[in-house]
Amino acid sequence: MTTSTVTAPPSDAAPRKDAAQAPARARLRRRLARWGFVAPAVLFMLLFFGYPLVRNVVMSFQHYTPKTFFTGEAPFNGADNWSSVFQDALFGKALWHTLVFTAGSLLGQFCIGLALAVFFNRRFPLNGVLRSLILLPWLVPMVVSGIVWRRILDQDTGVLNTFLDTLGLGGHTPWLTSPGMALLSVILVNIWIGIPFNLVILYGGLQEIPKELYEAASLDGASAWRAFRSGTLPMLKPVITVVLVLGFMSTVKILDLILALTDGGPADATQTLGTLTYQNSFVELDFGAGAVVGNVLILISAVFAVFYLRANRTEGK
């Protein structure tokens, strides 16, 4: 009796399993690669933004004094810092001055910057040279600008009062020493500093508007103002939003310019939330109160950012 053995064909289960796992491994590698690129940015944000923010919030609930730097002891005092800051009349004045200073600066910078951007949006001799010269206030450090303008606006020896006196218009205006004039003077100086930024961004936006739009408006008999109002402004709206948001973020926290011009005076007439934070923390050495005012500034910026993102999302839909 003869027995025959039948050899089974080789199984392809292992190759199929490896083939099924290959896409999973590829996806895992891609995911790890993405996290590898994102991880440094996340670490940087946590280290240089997240930790200081959390530390500032915690400090606002502590009795933090110069002695704390040596002993490390900063006992929690609940909401005492918050209540003392909110009950201080100077906080209300500083909040109002911050709103007036920010609104006045943004309005002046934007209107003048837009007017100059429209003016330079046409070709004429020395166009580029003049635009380059207008950028100088933006390039000079803000502290330097503040010191220079403090000399210019000096009541007795300032260039501005001397010039006005020469013209017979009165040369004894207390630009920085009068409580009624100081805040207006600081706003005007900040407008002077911020005009170049608005000019550059808005001029770039105007360059992106097709020239055919103006040609069509001209053929339809539209006036220059109507073409600007109905054509230029709607197409410039995204750029305007960026300019106003960035301008708000940089203006609401300004400190160095005000310190260089008035140091928050006279009689706290130019005291803002930024200068109040500095005064509480580094003049009175009340770091808890300084942290409270700093947190209020952060909260104002965050609320503004949320409204901005929501408005953009609504426009996108």
Side-chain angles (χ1 to χ4, degrees):
M1 182 175 177
T2 306
T3 58
S4 61
T5 57
V6 180
T7 304
S11 174
D12 58 349
R16 288 179 180 175
K17 185 177 181 181
D18 293 340
Q21 290 178 349
R25 294 196 193 99
R27 286 194 298 270
L28 179 61
R29 284 195 297 268
R30 286 195 296 269
R31 190 176 295 113
L32 291 176
R34 285 196 295 266
W35 276 108
F37 285 110
V38 173
V42 173
L43 182 62
F44 176 84
M45 294 290 291
L46 291 176
L47 186 61
F48 293 99
F49 291 93
Y51 174 75
L53 178 61
V54 173
R55 193 71 190 87
N56 197 65
V57 173
V58 173
M59 189 185 298
S60 66
F61 295 97
Q62 292 177 315
H63 181 61
Y64 210 98
T65 63
K67 185 179 178 181
T68 304
F69 290 99
F70 302 97
T71 64
E73 298 177 357
F76 281 86
N77 58 1
D80 291 349
N81 294 330
W82 292 82
S83 61
S84 63
V85 167
F86 289 154
Q87 291 173 6
D88 187 3
L90 184 56
F91 175 79
K93 291 177 61 176
L95 179 60
W96 171 247
H97 293 159
T98 301
L99 297 176
V100 173
F101 174 77
T102 303
S105 297
L106 289 181
L107 182 62
Q109 292 171 1
F110 174 75
C111 292
I112 300 176
L114 180 59
L116 289 174
V118 173
F119 174 75
F120 284 111
N121 195 36
R122 54 193 180 88
R123 294 183 179 181
F124 59 88
L126 300 179
N127 184 311
V129 175
L130 292 176
R131 279 191 287 118
S132 302
L133 292 176
I134 291 179
L135 287 178
L136 290 179
W138 191 33
L139 301 177
V140 177
M142 196 168 290
V143 174
V144 177
S145 298
I147 294 174
V148 171
W149 274 101
R150 185 168 185 169
R151 297 294 300 273
I152 293 174
L153 298 176
D154 186 87
Q155 181 177 356
D156 299 322
T157 61
V159 175
L160 181 58
N161 275 344
T162 303
F163 177 71
L164 293 176
D165 189 37
T166 304
L167 297 178
L169 300 176
H172 302 284
T173 304
W175 298 103
L176 299 176
T177 56
S178 168
M181 291 290 298
L183 184 59
L184 175 62
S185 301
V186 174
I187 291 174
L188 293 176
V189 174
N190 191 50
I191 289 174
W192 177 81
I193 293 174
I195 287 174
F197 171 76
N198 285 258
L199 167 62
V200 169
I201 304 300
L202 294 171
Y203 176 80
L206 289 174
Q207 291 292 302
E208 296 299 322
I209 298 178
K211 303 299 181 184
E212 293 79 5
L213 177 67
Y214 301 106
E215 295 175 0
S218 178
L219 292 175
D220 290 339
S223 63
W225 168 246
R226 184 176 179 183
F228 175 78
R229 184 188 60 188
S230 303
T232 303
L233 282 181
M235 298 195 70
L236 205 60
K237 189 175 181 180
V239 180
I240 292 175
T241 304
V242 172
V243 167
L244 293 179
V245 170
L246 294 180
F248 177 86
M249 294 298 183
S250 62
T251 303
V252 73
K253 60 181 180 60
I254 279 183
L255 168 66
D256 41 5
L257 176 66
I258 299 177
L259 289 182
L261 284 171
T262 62
D263 197 22
D268 296 320
T270 58
Q271 197 78 258
T272 62
L273 292 181
T275 59
L276 185 60
T277 303
Y278 174 83
Q279 179 176 318
N280 286 338
S281 298
F282 301 107
V283 177
E284 300 179 3
L285 300 180
D286 189 352
F287 299 102
V292 170
V293 183
N295 288 329
V296 172
L297 264 177
I298 294 172
L299 183 61
I300 292 174
S301 300
V303 170
F304 186 83
V306 168
F307 278 111
Y308 162 69
L309 293 175
R310 183 169 296 179
N312 272 7
R313 188 178 305 168
T314 304
E315 290 179 6
K317 292 179 180 179

